[in-house]
Amino acid sequence: MTRYDRQVRLLAACLSSIAGYVDAIGFVSLGGFFVSFMSGNTTRIGVGLTNDWAAAGVAAGLVGLFVIGVMLGAVVGRLAKSHRRPMVLIFVAVLLGLAAVTAHFGATDFAVVGMVFAMGAVNAVFVEEGEVRIGVTYMTGTLVKLGKAITTALLGGDRLGWLPHLLLWLGLLVGGLLGTIAYRHFGLDALGAAAIAAAICAVLADRLGVNPDHASA
C-alpha cells in the first residue's frame, strides 16, 4: 500500500465514522429509520407495504431524499473539478451545520432533510471515472471485500490486505457508538460536531493535493 493509499484510507475511515455518527442520531431520533443506510430503509418499505403504509411512506421518502443528496454531491463535485473532495466535504459540512441549526430552533423535519442530503452527498468524495470506489455510508460491499482479503491472506497472499476494509467498518461502528451517546446528551444539537468533523476532513482532503480520480478501491 502506498503512502497516498494510506492517507486516502484514513480519510475514508474518518468519513465512515461521520456517517455512522449521523446515521445513529437519525436512527434514534426517527425511531428506527436511517438517514444513510438505504438498504435498511428499503427493507422497511417492503415490510411496511404489508402492514404499515405510513412507515413505508417515511422510508420511501428518506430513500428519495438520499438519491437527491447523491445528485447534489455529484453536481458539486463536477463543478469543483480537481478540488472535488474538499468542496464536496465543505458542502456536507454546510448541510450538517444547517441541520444542527434548524433542529436547535425546532425545525426537525428540515434537520432530517439536511442529514439525508449530507449522507447522500458524501458518497461523491471517492469517485473514479464516474463510479463510487469507496463507499463510506454502507458496509456490505466492504465486508465482502474484507472476507475475500482475509481468505487471500490465509492462502499465502497479501497478509495485510484486509486491514483497510476492517478499518472502514470499524469507523462506521465507532461513529455509531459516539452518535448514540452524543444524542442522549445533546439531542440533534449533536449534529454540530459532525459538521465540524466534516469541515476538518475537507481541510485534510485539500492537503492531500492528489488528483481524486486516482483513488484506489
Side-chain angles (χ1 to χ4, degrees), residues 16-210:
S16 180
S17 296
I18 294 173
Y21 180 93
V22 174
D23 204 30
I25 291 175
F27 181 83
V28 177
S29 65
L30 290 172
F33 294 94
F34 303 92
V35 296
S36 77
F37 180 53
M38 293 303 119
S39 294
N41 284 337
T42 301
T43 300
R44 292 219 59 173
I45 295 172
V47 173
L49 288 174
T50 65
N51 57 18
D52 190 346
W53 282 74
V58 171
L62 292 169
V63 171
L65 290 173
F66 184 85
V67 172
I68 294 173
V70 173
M71 295 167 62
L72 292 173
V75 170
V76 171
R78 179 160 300 191
L79 292 174
K81 297 181 180 179
S82 63
H83 298 287
R84 183 182 66 236
R85 281 186 183 149
M87 292 307 298
V88 169
L89 287 172
I90 288 172
F91 180 60
V92 169
V94 169
L95 288 171
L96 291 174
L98 288 174
V101 171
T102 54
H104 183 75
F105 289 101
T108 55
D109 289 344
F110 287 101
V112 171
V113 171
M115 283 191 285
V116 180
F117 277 178
M119 293 299 94
V122 76
N123 287 287
V125 173
F126 297 108
V127 173
E128 180 184 350
E129 298 178 353
E131 298 292 334
V132 176
R133 298 305 184 191
I134 304 178
V136 296
T137 65
Y138 46 89
M139 287 296 124
T140 301
T142 297
L143 291 175
V144 170
K145 292 177 182 178
L146 174 62
K148 291 172 64 178
I150 291 174
T151 302
T152 298
L154 293 174
L155 295 177
D158 185 354
R159 291 184 295 176
L160 298 178
W162 52 270
L163 190 58
H165 308 301
L166 178 63
L167 183 63
L168 197 62
W169 178 77
L170 287 176
L172 191 76
L173 175 63
V174 172
L177 173 62
L178 295 177
T180 303
I181 295 171
Y183 181 78
R184 288 176 181 171
H185 288 85
F186 305 106
L188 290 176
D189 286 347
L191 290 170
I196 294 172
I200 293 173
C201 286
V203 174
L204 295 176
D206 186 55
R207 290 185 176 180
L208 283 179
V210 181

